[in-house]
Amino acid sequence: VRVPRRFAVPEEAAFPQETWGMNLGSAVDHIRSKGQYVNNRPDRRKQLDEMGFVWDDLERRWEEAKSALSTYKEVHGNMQVPYAFVVPSSAPWAEETWGMRLGEIVRHIRAHGIYLKGEDAAERRAWLDEMGFVWDDLERRWEEARSALTTYKEVHGDMRVPYAFVV
């Protein structure tokens, strides 16, 4: 039961007519954050558990991002995820990560510390460090460019790099 926050029940036969237009994403968010509908109702909690309800969506999203990052490193040999990278819908990627905008997630980790707040922050940061996560991509790109320029000068004796030159 992974309902997006902005999900509204569409007017289609798959859903009971009385639920059409219901902002189900908002209801799920209120269940998670405020216990709406389930406070003091263990029977309702049990029903949701039996349906596979995800109580901690941040943890679920972190685990999926972690899976995608692990696979990215396995496939590409590094953690230099391009901003536009989207997880392919095929093996070896875990199915729950298919279509994930991993490049955007990496940018949000760097810029906003997404997943790096709360009691698990230090453990998550340590995992990212251990995997070789690139915290400062601008610095990494500068070092690559500097290295290429140094080599170019050694090989060609000057710094007049033609516009079309490719390493």
Side-chain angles (χ1 to χ4, degrees):
V1 183
R2 296 172 19 185
V3 181
R5 187 171 281 158
R6 294 189 175 130
F7 181 82
V9 177
E11 293 182 17
E12 55 185 56
F15 293 93
Q17 189 171 1
E18 63 272 12
T19 66
W20 291 358
M22 175 186 185
N23 189 338
L24 185 58
S26 178
V28 167
D29 186 54
H30 284 103
I31 291 169
R32 285 190 185 117
S33 64
K34 300 174 184 170
Q36 192 171 11
Y37 306 117
V38 296
N39 279 341
N40 302 316
R41 294 296 305 262
D43 57 318
R44 290 182 180 176
R45 281 187 172 273
K46 184 178 180 210
Q47 287 175 335
L48 290 173
D49 286 340
E50 289 170 354
M51 290 185 339
F53 188 81
V54 176
W55 293 97
D56 188 343
D57 195 49
L58 180 66
E59 181 64 22
R60 176 196 60 82
R61 289 183 290 129
W62 163 248
E63 289 301 323
E64 289 177 0
K66 189 174 164 184
S67 170
L69 285 167
S70 295
T71 304
Y72 186 91
K73 183 170 183 177
E74 179 185 310
V75 170
H76 297 277
N78 61 51
M79 295 286 276
Q80 299 170 13
V81 183
Y83 175 72
F85 184 80
V86 176
V87 173
S89 299
S90 61
W93 303 90
E95 190 171 347
E96 64 269 11
T97 67
W98 291 0
M100 176 187 289
R101 292 181 169 114
L102 188 59
E104 288 182 23
I105 290 171
V106 165
R107 185 177 70 80
H108 286 294
I109 291 171
R110 287 184 187 131
H112 308 292
I114 190 171
Y115 306 124
L116 301 178
K117 295 176 175 91
E119 61 190 51
D120 296 330
E123 180 182 317
R124 290 173 180 177
R125 183 176 285 277
W127 182 85
L128 289 165
D129 287 340
E130 186 178 304
M131 292 294 287
F133 187 80
V134 178
W135 292 99
D136 188 341
D137 195 50
L138 184 60
E139 181 66 21
R140 177 196 62 80
R141 289 182 291 150
W142 159 248
E143 289 300 324
E144 286 179 355
R146 187 186 58 74
S147 175
L149 285 168
T150 302
T151 303
Y152 185 92
K153 184 174 183 180
E154 289 171 3
V155 171
H156 298 279
D158 62 45
M159 296 290 284
R160 295 185 306 264
V161 182
Y163 179 78
F165 180 79
V166 176
V167 176

